[in-house]
Amino acid sequence: ITFFLNGGWEQLLSRFSSPLSPPTYFWKFMIKRSEGDKWFSKCVRMRARWKCEVCDSQYDESSTGLHCSHHFGRRHKATRTEPLNCIAACYACHRKLEEDPLFHVEFFKKHIGEDVYEILAEKHRVILPKREYDERMISKHFREQFRQQQKKEAEGVQGRLDFIGYI
């Protein structure tokens, strides 16, 4: 409490250049987004036809407002590139999922089914050796999956454009 009363809050905030840009030392603790992550994210958003799977808002492919939302975070390699672990979510819905853990769990259980959710929860606990997680191969795999989704879309395939996970 004395931290806040003695101006500590202002000192802390003054380290940020703006409320949305944390200092550079903050970023070293974040999980880096690999090339494979970028292609995987595109596959997740393409699967949903660039629509938020929570509120059904439609987005343009070039928009940055639609995110790939992982249920079990990206630090868990076993589920990082698992299609069932992710949905396309707009910024507002992504925040709601992150800020309300009960809603997050209930939404995913409803979205993929309770039985599948339990399998996914078990899978996320698996620790993969580094040699089993080849970033270049993952990137290549999801780039090809994205191309296949684009091909299906061009052929007029309706509904979700599912894709195959890597691990």
Side-chain angles (χ1 to χ4, degrees), residues 9-39:
W9 186 248
E10 287 80 17
Q11 289 176 0
L12 182 64
L13 287 178
S14 70
R15 292 183 181 177
F16 293 85
S17 57
S18 81
L20 298 177
S21 61
T24 53
Y25 68 83
F26 175 80
W27 297 112
K28 74 179 182 179
F29 299 108
M30 300 216 26
I31 296 169
K32 290 181 175 58
R33 194 165 177 237
S34 70
E35 195 66 23
D37 290 330
K38 291 174 188 173
W39 285 106

Side-chain angles (χ1 to χ4, degrees), residues 4-155:
F4 295 106
L5 295 176
N6 294 330
W9 186 248
E10 287 80 17
Q11 289 176 0
L12 182 64
L13 287 178
S14 70
R15 292 183 181 177
F16 293 85
S17 57
S18 81
L20 298 177
S21 61
T24 53
Y25 68 83
F26 175 80
W27 297 112
K28 74 179 182 179
F29 299 108
M30 300 216 26
I31 296 169
K32 290 181 175 58
R33 194 165 177 237
S34 70
E35 195 66 23
D37 290 330
K38 291 174 188 173
W39 285 106
F40 177 75
S41 175
K42 281 186 168 194
C43 287
V44 169
R45 292 176 289 142
M46 172 68 100
R47 174 184 67 190
R49 304 285 185 143
W50 306 98
K51 186 182 276 195
C52 175
E53 295 182 76
V54 181
C55 71
D56 289 331
S57 295
Q58 186 67 51
Y59 286 81
D60 184 68
E61 186 174 340
S62 63
S63 172
T64 59
L66 190 65
H67 302 176
C68 172
S69 175
H70 289 72
H71 181 63
F72 296 109
R74 289 186 296 130
R75 75 172 177 244
H76 302 283
K77 300 280 190 195
T79 52
R80 184 174 186 156
T81 57
E82 170 56 59
L84 293 172
N85 186 44
C86 298
I87 61 164
C90 68
Y91 177 79
C93 291
H94 197 179
R95 297 292 329 147
K96 176 154 177 58
L97 289 167
E98 286 182 352
E99 292 170 2
D100 188 345
L102 294 176
F103 174 71
H104 199 179
V105 170
E106 289 307 312
F107 177 83
F108 264 85
K109 283 182 176 180
K110 183 178 157 196
H111 187 70
I112 64 175
E114 290 214 25
D115 293 342
V116 175
Y117 180 87
E118 294 306 321
I119 294 168
L120 184 64
E122 193 63 38
K123 184 177 181 180
H124 107 274
R125 293 183 191 97
V126 173
I127 297 172
L128 294 177
K130 190 139 181 101
R131 69 181 179 279
E132 290 186 29
Y133 202 81
D134 184 345
E135 292 286 349
R136 285 191 331 231
M137 292 302 294
I138 290 169
S139 179
K140 181 179 175 183
H141 172 79
F142 288 115
R143 187 171 47 249
E144 180 57 34
Q145 289 294 304
F146 185 72
R147 288 187 183 127
Q148 288 179 16
Q149 287 175 309
Q150 287 178 315
K151 184 179 173 187
K152 288 177 189 176
E153 184 178 49
E155 292 170 352

